[in-house]
Amino acid sequence: MLAQGRAVLVTEDPPTIQLPYEVDLPLGRQRREEEKIGDGRSILLHICCGPCSTYAIKRLREEGFRVSGLWYNPNVHPFSEHERRLASLESYVGSVDLPLIGEEGYDMLQFLRVIVGHETYGERCRLCYEMRLTRTAEVAARDGFDAMTTTLLISPHQDQGLIREIGEAVAKKQGVVFHFENLRRGWSERGRMTREHKLYRQQYCGCIYSEWERHAGVDIAEVLSELRNG
Ligand code: SF4
């Protein structure tokens, strides 16, 4: 299909394609899709930004979960960008009646201390996922949620396999279930919903490193190598 131009490759791992047309699913598959796997259970959804929350909230509700959101993103720099993304999310969750838990404070200093020495893309992202998902698991356990998950699972720019691995590990430690599903199939719907609700669309992932890479096209691994070689 890719060779014939009948689909667009979204990510190679896991393999995800996007079709430019609607597909009628076989009846058995449709039934499975319609099963209410949430079954009224409560789930805490870690939310990275308004756009990524759109499809995730809709999908989890369709599955029968009682969804609450958690904003905990000390990786978003500078503070004004953090506040802009949060304000956009607050306006969206208000419009869809979603309870949002906002953790006190802004842990930018803690984030930077964890990342120093691990600034390359991928290495720093592992630590970033761990920090955000650990807090999510702690809040889920503290507030008695049945399960937790994260909007990070929708982005083709994030390492979905690693997010799943970390999510399951930190959730287990707190005695909470990590709910995994490949939200990437909703990536195009996320775009449509973001435009429909006129949500703020950020231009970089979040941290100062990603902002530098995005706007100056630098390769931090190369910069670090030059530093090491004097
Ligand atoms: S690029 Fe994104 S996921 Fe990676 S460390 Fe920065 S904010 Fe976190």
Side-chain angles (χ1 to χ4, degrees):
M1 293 178 81
L2 291 170
Q4 293 164 359
R6 291 166 56 218
V8 176
L9 183 65
V10 178
T11 58
E12 288 184 358
D13 185 20
T16 310
I17 60 170
Q18 186 175 327
L19 303 177
Y21 48 84
E22 304 244 326
V23 177
D24 284 330
L25 295 174
L27 201 55
R29 170 98 181 270
Q30 276 186 23
R31 287 216 184 93
R32 281 203 302 279
E33 297 275 314
E34 287 161 8
E35 279 173 11
K36 298 281 184 191
I37 60 170
D39 198 25
R41 285 180 296 152
S42 60
I43 191 165
L44 183 62
L45 173 66
H46 165 261
I47 300 179
C48 62
C49 64
C52 288
S53 77
T54 53
Y55 174 78
I57 293 167
K58 176 173 172 280
R59 175 73 187 162
L60 291 168
R61 282 178 166 173
E62 282 170 358
E63 289 176 325
F65 284 104
R66 285 183 291 117
V67 188
S68 295
L70 172 72
W71 172 264
Y72 180 67
N73 298 292
N75 59 307
V76 180
H77 315 143
F79 182 64
S80 55
E81 176 73 13
H82 177 273
E83 293 302 283
R84 189 171 185 185
R85 294 186 193 188
L86 175 58
S88 172
L89 173 65
E90 283 175 335
S91 111
Y92 180 67
V93 297
S95 72
V96 293
D97 204 17
L98 184 100
L100 181 69
I101 299 169
E103 285 293 278
E104 289 292 310
Y106 176 51
D107 293 344
M108 184 194 73
L109 295 179
Q110 293 90 322
F111 177 87
L112 292 175
R113 283 180 181 184
V114 167
I115 299 298
V116 166
H118 309 279
E119 294 92 347
T120 52
Y121 177 72
E123 194 181 347
R124 68 173 188 259
C125 301
R126 169 184 282 277
L127 298 168
C128 177
Y129 299 151
E130 273 173 5
M131 192 169 178
R132 292 189 278 171
L133 294 176
T134 296
R135 178 62 63 89
T136 308
E138 287 167 355
V139 174
R142 180 194 74 194
D143 293 356
F145 283 89
D146 297 317
M148 62 170 272
T149 191
T150 173
T151 56
L152 292 168
L153 293 170
I154 199 172
S155 172
H157 307 297
Q158 305 289 350
D159 186 337
Q160 195 187 68
L162 183 59
I163 292 164
R164 180 180 192 174
E165 180 191 314
I166 292 171
E168 287 176 348
V170 297
K172 193 174 172 192
K173 234 184 226 174
Q174 296 293 334
V176 180
V177 171
F178 182 77
H179 174 68
F180 171 81
E181 69 177 86
N182 184 8
L183 293 173
R184 284 180 184 175
R185 63 180 162 180
W187 182 248
S188 60
E189 194 170 349
R190 166 204 183 275
R192 185 191 59 71
M193 292 175 79
T194 297
R195 287 189 294 278
E196 182 190 333
H197 292 277
K198 297 185 172 55
L199 299 181
Y200 169 58
R201 282 186 281 178
Q202 61 268 14
Q203 299 301 307
Y204 58 99
C205 188
C207 61
I208 46 173
Y209 313 102
S210 64
E211 195 265 354
W212 192 27
E213 287 168 336
R214 170 73 175 78
H215 293 298
V218 294
D219 181 339
I220 288 181
E222 274 178 23
V223 177
L224 287 168
S225 164
E226 282 165 19
L227 273 177
R228 270 194 298 271
N229 297 329

